[in-house]
């Protein structure tokens, strides 16, 4: 049985940063990843990473913008730490070799992003994530740790109140295996594929969050789902907020720049929840366009001119040309909001510690929470690095003092017996059909606007899918790259997480950040300035509530 002191699951920015910290602390580290590390979704990030480095900007303003953006659900103590780490983190990434775009005077170029008082988003054209990921990968150095590539985590093994290791499916061999570990860091990234329209890659299925939940860890604030205002129609490929940061504007079917009616001060650069709701309202009130791929509005970049569009927004220019047949230099881009980010995740503190001893989490899979009810653009890349490092340090320190992991020979058998039954069934449910139904259900009943009746129906439908999943069947019997089996694994994870989203959203009778209830349109601080905590029971999620970390910023009405 393989054995390591620290096992990091996930090789995106959060996982790699955690691994680097643990390696530098002298631990024996393994990374387990279902993708090649450089194919992680972090590499798709376009717009940039936030740090208050300019003379006019300040860490204080970054803190305030993040607290306000979170609609006062973010933990202010964690946000203060996070924003103070921003400058040093970006400088460190530059020293690791990230080639950031430059201003004419040679300093780091910065672009305005939604919900920020100053241009604070540092970027590498519109390929920031890939630039960071490549630099970090080279710094980490593949000889300093063991890589289990194309291994899918299925279970976190917890016994005697602490982590003993993990069980994973090795895609190349087509079999399950266990790895004993004193400390496990989950950095498995997004779960946006729970929704039909998402900017997230196909691999973003919430596996680590579901494994933590199954192992008894508490999930936090799962009902807060961010929809990005500008996804390309049909494919839902992201058109970065940087496009509006550079001067792009949203227009409706009469050519009106409508954001002025929703956010009179900052207009198109209001925070994402505000802009997404404005687009849906335009469409619902008959001022949008309709086409074969559904309703949409326009994002106009034409006024920026060819030179600026093609140099600063190269990649999205290419996407619009290839995937929508639109040339943004001369034509408006058809867009509509799509799921983009999960504010919720595995509950952690600012050291990445979860409610289970020896289990740590970081990146989009975790919820510290610094994003609260709504994440600001550019804060997530930063989060992966700041809290990835913290989780790696904490896991390394824990592993140093922890007793040797006590995996048993029967752990593998117990964890995988139910999964092996999927392949021995002669009839049962097709995982891809269940996945498609789940995605349509979540889009329809737990989307941008929510209400009691829809959420009730959403709960009923998700639970019906969960019951049907009990009889899931894997038809493909091959042992090499059995994608039918990995599809089933992922679908099961997504159904579990979807239940925590709809149940949490149904219970929260207020509107805050990305959670907009038409039947409870106001924010209710007296009752709801609290984190939702979800724990798994055989009957479904058991909800409880925890206070928000509060330091200096009293909640006020959020206007942009
Ligand atoms: C299109 C797009 C653009 C974005 N642009 C920006 C931006 O400009 N600025 C910003 O701040 N944020 C942006 N974000 C958000 C940000 O990029 C992500 O939140 C962040 O990169 C997530 O990093 P991560 O390390 O947590 O996860 P990821 O980078 O997704 O890595 C997850 C890792 O987990 C592994 N994994 C998953 N499941 C398993 C399993 N079962 N077993 C083993 N391994 C597993 C994967 O192989 C992968 O290596 C964007 C997101 C998207 C989708």
């Amino acid at each position: 049985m393989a054995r390591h002191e620290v096992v990091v699951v996930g090789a995106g920015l959060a996982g790699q940063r955690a691994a680097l910290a643990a390696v530098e602390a002298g631990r024996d580290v393994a990374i387990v990843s279902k993708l090649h590390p450089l194919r992680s979704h972090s590499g798709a990030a376009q717009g940039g990473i936030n740090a208050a480095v300019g003379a006019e900007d300040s860490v204080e303003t970054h803190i305030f913008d993040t607290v306000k953006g979170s609609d006062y659900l973010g933990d202010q103590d964690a946000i203060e730490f996070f924003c103070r780490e921003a400058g040093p983190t970006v400088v460190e990434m530059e020293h690791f070799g990230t080639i950031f775009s430059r201003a004419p005077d040679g300093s780091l170029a910065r672009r305005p992003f939604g919900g920020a008082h100053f241009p604070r988003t540092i970027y590498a054209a519109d390929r920031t994530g890939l630039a960071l990921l490549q630099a970090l990968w080279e710094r980490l150095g593949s000889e300093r740790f063991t890589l289990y590539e194309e291994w899918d985590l299925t279970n976190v093994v917890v016994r005697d109140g602490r982590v003993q290791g993990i069980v994973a499916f090795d895609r190349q061999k087509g079999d399950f295996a266990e790895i004993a570990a004193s400390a496990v860091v989950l950095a498995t990234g997004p779960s946006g594929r729970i929704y039909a329209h998402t900017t997230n890659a196909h691999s973003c299925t919430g596996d680590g969050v579901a494994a933590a939940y199954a192992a008894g860890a508490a999930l936090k604030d799962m009902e807060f789902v961010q929809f990005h205002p500008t996804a390309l129609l049909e494919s839902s490929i992201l058109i970065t907020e940087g496009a509006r940061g550079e001067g792009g504007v949203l227009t409706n079917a009469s050519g009106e720049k409508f954001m002025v009616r929703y956010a009179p001060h900052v207009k198109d650069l209001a925070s994402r929840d505000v802009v997404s709701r404005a687009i849906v309202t335009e469409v619902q009130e008959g001022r949008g366009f309709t086409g074969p791929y559904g309703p949409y509005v326009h994002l106009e970049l034409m006024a920026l001119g060819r030179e600026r569009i093609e140099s600063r927004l190269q990649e999205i220019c290419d996407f619009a040309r290839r995937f929508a047949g639109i040339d943004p230099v001369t034509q408006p881009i058809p867009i509509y909001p799509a799921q983009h980010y999960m504010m919720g995740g595995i509950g952690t503190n600012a050291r990445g510690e979860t409610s289970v001893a020896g289990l740590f989490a970081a990146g989009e899979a975790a919820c510290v929470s610094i994003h609260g009810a709504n994440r600001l653009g550019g804060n997530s890349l930063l989060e992966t690095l700041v809290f990835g490092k913290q989780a790696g340090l904490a896991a390394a320190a824990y592993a140093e003092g922890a007793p040797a992991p006590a995996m048993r020979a029967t752990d593998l058998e117990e964890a995988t017996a139910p999964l092996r039954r999927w392949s021995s069934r002669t009839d049962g449910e097709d995982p891809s059909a269940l996945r498609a139904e789940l995605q349509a259900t979540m889009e329809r009943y737990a989307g941008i606007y929510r209400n009691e009746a829809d959420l009730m129906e959403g709960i009923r439908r998700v639970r019906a899918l969960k019951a049907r999943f009990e009889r899931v069947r894997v038809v493909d019997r091959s042992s090499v790259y059995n994608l039918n089996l990995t599809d089933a694994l992922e679908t099961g994870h997504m159904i579990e997480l979807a239940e925590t989203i709809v149940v949490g959203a149904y219970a929260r009778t207020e509107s805050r950040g990305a959670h907009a209830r038409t039947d409870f349109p106001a924010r209710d601080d007296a009752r709801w300035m609290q984190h939702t905590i979800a724990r798994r029971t055989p009957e479904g999620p058991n909800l409880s509530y925890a206070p928000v970390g509060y330091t200096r910023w009293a909640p006020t009405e959020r206007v942009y």
Side-chain angles (χ1 to χ4, degrees), residues 10-11 14 33-35 40-42 47-48 151 153 189-190 207 364 378 380-381:
S33 178
K34 70 178 179 181
L35 302 174
S40 302
H41 189 66
S42 290
W151 281 46
L153 167 81
D207 306 347
E364 190 165 337
S380 176
L381 287 179

Side-chain angles (χ1 to χ4, degrees), residues 309-331:
I309 296 175
E310 289 183 348
S311 63
R312 305 256 190 114
L313 300 167
Q314 245 167 5
E315 191 169 66
I316 64 138
C317 207
D318 192 43
F319 288 154
R321 286 173 182 157
R322 279 172 197 262
F323 295 98
I326 292 289
D327 185 355
V329 174
T330 54
Q331 295 166 288

